[in-house]
Amino acid sequence: MKEIKIKYFDDEIEKLCYIDGKSDWIDLRSAKDVDLKKGEFALIPLGIGMELPKGYEAHVVPRSSTFKNFGIIQTNHQGVIDCSYCGDNDQWFMPVLAVRDTSIHKNDRICQFRIMENQPKLVFTEVSHLGETDRGGHGSTGRN
């Protein structure tokens, strides 16, 4: 089991909770009340920072209900926080765009994260042919 050092930037934010066996994604919450008009952008503070182990990164994505409940989309679609973002002032944020007028309240669960090992070092080898299957180059079916 990996130990992760976490700093809370707000005493009112609910503490993170890893629920073993249910999902390995952990919910993150808004650290302040945010009112947005349709078309507005905001960096929503998540009230936490972490010191990830060397060789690990965090992937931050919206929860499945975020768009339905709040009418926001994450502008980078997936945030990647590497282990170098670990200072005392390195609070995590969620960059969002509102598609309708909306209000997000402090402690609303708006996104989720998981910690992943960094991709291993890779070497790319140029070849003339790939594998034995030719799927036609159009998605999974090979049909237009």
Side-chain angles (χ1 to χ4, degrees):
M1 183 178 302
K2 293 283 183 193
E3 178 185 25
I4 307 294
K5 294 179 183 175
I6 185 168
K7 177 180 177 179
Y8 290 92
F9 288 83
D10 186 309
D11 291 337
E12 296 175 7
I13 291 293
E14 290 188 33
K15 305 296 187 208
L16 296 187
C17 180
Y18 181 78
I19 303 171
D20 196 24
K22 182 175 181 192
S23 172
D24 60 357
W25 290 86
I26 301 165
D27 289 340
L28 293 168
R29 299 168 183 274
S30 175
K32 71 176 192 177
D33 292 334
V34 178
D35 292 317
L36 295 169
K37 298 288 185 199
K38 181 180 179 178
E40 286 185 327
F41 169 82
L43 283 173
I44 299 177
L46 301 173
I48 61 149
M50 291 185 205
E51 189 175 316
L52 300 175
K54 187 171 178 63
Y56 286 81
E57 62 193 23
H59 296 180
V60 180
V61 299
R63 297 180 75 238
S64 60
S65 60
T66 297
F67 182 77
K68 175 182 65 89
N69 291 341
F70 303 107
I72 57 174
I73 56 174
Q74 185 173 346
T75 58
N76 59 353
H77 303 287
Q78 173 178 305
V80 178
I81 300 170
D82 65 36
C83 66
S84 71
Y85 193 69
C86 62
D88 261 345
N89 296 311
D90 290 338
Q91 179 174 196
W92 293 12
F93 289 82
M94 182 183 185
V96 301
L97 180 69
V99 298
R100 66 173 188 255
D101 292 357
T102 188
S103 292
I104 299 161
H105 300 100
K106 187 178 215 174
N107 270 315
D108 280 345
R109 296 180 300 160
I110 57 171
C111 56
Q112 58 190 337
F113 80 101
R114 69 187 310 194
I115 295 173
M116 305 288 297
E117 279 191 83
N118 290 357
Q119 179 168 276
K121 292 186 191 289
L122 303 171
V123 175
F124 295 98
T125 303
E126 186 174 347
V127 298
S128 298
H129 301 284
L130 297 172
E132 296 296 322
T133 304
D134 185 358
R135 296 169 59 135
H138 295 93
S140 62
T141 62
R143 289 184 238 129
N144 291 329

